[in-house]
Amino acid sequence: MNTENILNHYEKHNIIQMKDLNLYNKTLLIRVDFNVPIKNQKILFDTRIKSTIPTINFALKKKSKIILMSHLGRPKEGNSEKCFSMFPIFEYLKKFFYKNNVYFSNNLEIKKMKIGDIRILENVRFNIGEKKNDIELSKKYANLCDIFVMDAFASAHRKEASTVGAGKFSKIACAGPLFIKEITALKKSLKNPKRPMTAIVGGSKISTKFNILKKLSVIADTVIVGGGIANTFLAIDNDIGKSLHEKKFIPLAKKLRDTNKILIPVDSRVGTNFSKNAIAIQKKPNSIKKNEEIMDIGDISIRNIKNIIKRSKTILWNGPLGVFEFPNFCIGTKKLAQYISKSNAFSIAGGGETLSVIKIFKIQNNISYISTGGGAFLEFVEGKKLPVIKMLEKKYTNK
């Protein structure tokens, strides 16, 4: 597939937008992404909740009635486990919107609401049929509202009752401001990027990101690889000891390497045991011993990356370059984060581990756009048409 055909994946989507609708006195069922880490009933990381506040405020300004629903964690369907309850999020929002009537609901019955009311539903994954996109459950969701608003880009790749099903059976289904913001930012970095464009793809398995690497090797000028993904490239010509890599993908990695778009580490930080106390030793790939494993990139590779980031006009970042949780093996990822934060390029970052890196190194304010999506982010970059976008386009066509 040539560059032009690949870029056509990111043409304009025809979908109804929340901002273009009459929302006065309407009941809005907004699918949000409140899938945040919670420990002992306390929210540890509230970025995803805060990112939804402008959507809620917009609906309040337009004098709507608001119902919010989201998944949280991976509970077993039908089991209302306390550790996966949305109640702590309700408590958080109640304090935030203290001037409004904010209440919690653990059922899908239609309740009389007044303008300005905010109703938070219990975890959608407590409902049997959620993951299978059950028709009856989807209709129950749809019957709660006048307008279904999809504002959870992170769940756009899931064909479930609270994402696709609810929208399909609602009278009107539209995209919320955050959802539009997400796909607009991604299109900007993929369809008409300012050049040079640099993509960073890290992580443990090349098998899960090979199609993305292939796509980006056409779109980007340089693709920087890290983690186990980089190790598979290094294993083409080197014995890399007990380093994490995938032997089956070595022939495919070689084909990608031969495009001359992939920047592979030229040196690494290795250790003899996988632990936070492991001592880091810098080595060239051809001198790694059988009892050693690569856990970070080396100083020469860091300098090479610095030079590339410095020249870049567009940066797309997904994944760390090493075991960033270990003090002796976080240097490559930390330096990368710092280089991107200081760059004048348009930068977009997405994926669960990437968000963790951004939080740890405190660079939230220096990334042009941070995507809330994980799997959806990757599938969009890969060029797949996400199930939710398909549904929204169909509703647009049939409006």
Side-chain angles (χ1 to χ4, degrees):
M1 189 182 288
N2 62 35
T3 306
E4 185 178 352
N5 287 337
I6 286 176
L7 293 177
N8 284 337
H9 282 290
Y10 310 108
E11 289 292 352
K12 182 179 179 182
H13 298 292
N14 291 315
I15 55 183
I16 302 167
Q17 295 191 37
M18 177 184 173
K19 69 179 182 66
D20 297 327
L21 296 173
N22 175 16
L23 306 178
Y24 177 76
N25 201 27
K26 296 290 193 300
T27 301
L28 310 182
L29 177 61
I30 309 178
R31 178 52 162 101
V32 292
D33 180 17
F34 288 161
N35 185 31
V36 297
I38 296 175
K39 189 175 182 180
N40 298 325
Q41 300 294 296
K42 290 192 176 181
I43 296 165
L44 303 179
F45 189 27
D46 63 358
T47 301
R48 282 179 168 173
I49 303 175
K50 283 184 174 178
S51 66
T52 307
I53 299 298
T55 300
I56 299 171
N57 279 331
F58 181 81
L60 290 172
K61 187 179 179 182
K62 295 296 180 179
K63 301 191 179 303
S64 304
K65 307 162 191 175
I66 302 163
I67 303 173
L68 303 172
M69 68 173 176
S70 174
H71 74 282
L72 176 62
R74 298 178 182 275
K76 186 177 179 181
E77 269 190 19
N79 287 4
S80 302
E81 301 173 61
K82 187 177 180 180
C83 62
F84 294 117
S85 175
M86 299 291 293
F87 194 79
I89 295 168
F90 155 68
E91 292 282 304
Y92 177 101
L93 289 173
K94 190 169 64 170
K95 292 175 184 176
F96 205 96
F97 294 100
Y98 61 91
K99 292 182 179 179
N100 300 84
N101 176 29
V102 183
Y103 62 99
F104 187 68
S105 178
N106 59 4
N107 61 57
L108 299 179
E109 294 175 3
I110 296 174
K111 295 183 177 180
K112 192 172 182 180
M113 297 178 70
K114 296 178 181 178
I115 288 174
D117 283 0
I118 302 173
R119 177 183 174 190
I120 294 135
L121 299 181
E122 184 54 284
N123 191 341
V124 294
R125 287 187 176 171
F126 286 178
N127 302 322
I128 295 173
E130 166 61 20
K131 285 197 169 186
K132 291 183 179 179
N133 193 25
D134 179 74
I135 290 175
E136 293 307 313
L137 180 59
S138 298
K139 287 180 178 178
K140 282 183 180 179
Y141 289 142
N143 289 337
L144 293 172
C145 67
D146 299 306
I147 301 169
F148 172 74
V149 182
M150 182 60 185
D151 211 33
F153 177 77
S155 296
H157 62 308
R158 296 192 177 106
K159 192 176 181 180
E160 297 177 347
S162 69
T163 57
V164 172
K168 178 181 178 181
F169 292 106
S170 295
K171 299 165 197 169
I172 300 171
C174 66
L178 180 60
F179 192 93
I180 295 297
K181 197 175 177 182
E182 292 266 9
I183 61 175
T184 300
L186 280 166
K187 284 179 189 177
K188 182 177 178 180
S189 65
L190 295 166
K191 176 63 179 170
N192 293 303
K194 288 185 177 180
R195 299 197 179 273
M197 176 188 176
T198 299
I200 301 104
V201 182
S204 57
K205 294 184 177 181
I206 193 172
S207 56
T208 61
K209 296 185 180 181
F210 181 78
N211 289 335
I212 294 159
L213 285 167
K214 192 175 178 182
K215 194 79 70 174
L216 289 173
S217 69
V218 176
I219 297 172
D221 298 287
T222 304
V223 181
I224 297 168
V225 291
I229 292 171
N231 294 348
T232 301
F233 283 98
L234 289 171
I236 296 169
D237 298 317
N238 303 282
D239 182 349
I240 55 171
K242 58 179 183 178
S243 304
L244 175 66
H245 69 288
E246 294 176 277
K247 290 181 180 179
K248 289 182 180 179
F249 274 81
I250 288 175
L252 290 173
K254 187 178 185 302
K255 285 184 180 179
L256 271 185
R257 183 194 65 177
D258 293 344
T259 64
N260 295 319
K261 291 285 192 78
I262 310 295
L263 184 74
I264 304 165
V266 294
D267 61 341
S268 307
R269 283 180 167 82
V270 305
T272 55
N273 63 303
F274 190 82
S275 87
K276 64 179 182 181
N277 298 318
I279 296 170
I281 304 167
Q282 292 198 59
K283 287 196 169 187
K284 295 288 181 65
N286 60 5
S287 63
I288 295 171
K289 296 177 181 177
K290 291 188 182 296
N291 68 329
E292 294 175 330
E293 59 183 313
I294 299 169
M295 290 192 276
D296 194 9
I297 61 173
D299 289 344
I300 300 172
S301 299
I302 288 172
R303 285 197 293 272
N304 291 341
I305 288 171
K306 181 181 182 180
N307 292 332
I308 287 170
I309 296 296
K310 199 172 181 180
R311 296 195 301 267
S312 301
K313 300 296 183 185
T314 303
I315 300 168
L316 188 146
W317 177 22
N318 173 257
L321 300 181
V323 188
F324 68 95
E325 302 92 340
F326 294 172
N328 294 332
F329 298 96
C330 70
I331 299 169
T333 303
K334 182 179 182 179
K335 289 291 184 182
L336 171 69
Q338 290 173 343
Y339 299 151
I340 294 174
S341 71
K342 292 175 183 176
S343 170
N344 292 322
F346 173 78
S347 56
I348 181 166
E353 283 194 315
T354 314
L355 297 183
S356 296
V357 170
I358 289 169
K359 182 189 176 187
I360 288 169
F361 299 123
K362 299 177 181 178
I363 59 167
Q364 294 95 324
N365 298 328
N366 298 318
I367 303 292
S368 304
Y369 192 79
I370 299 172
S371 173
T372 60
F377 176 90
L378 295 175
E379 289 192 20
F380 193 98
V381 172
E382 193 177 326
K384 291 181 179 178
K385 186 64 74 73
L386 305 180
V388 165
I389 290 180
K390 285 182 183 178
M391 178 273 292
L392 289 170
E393 287 179 336
K394 193 169 184 181
K395 297 293 279 194
Y396 178 91
T397 303
N398 297 331
K399 68 178 179 179

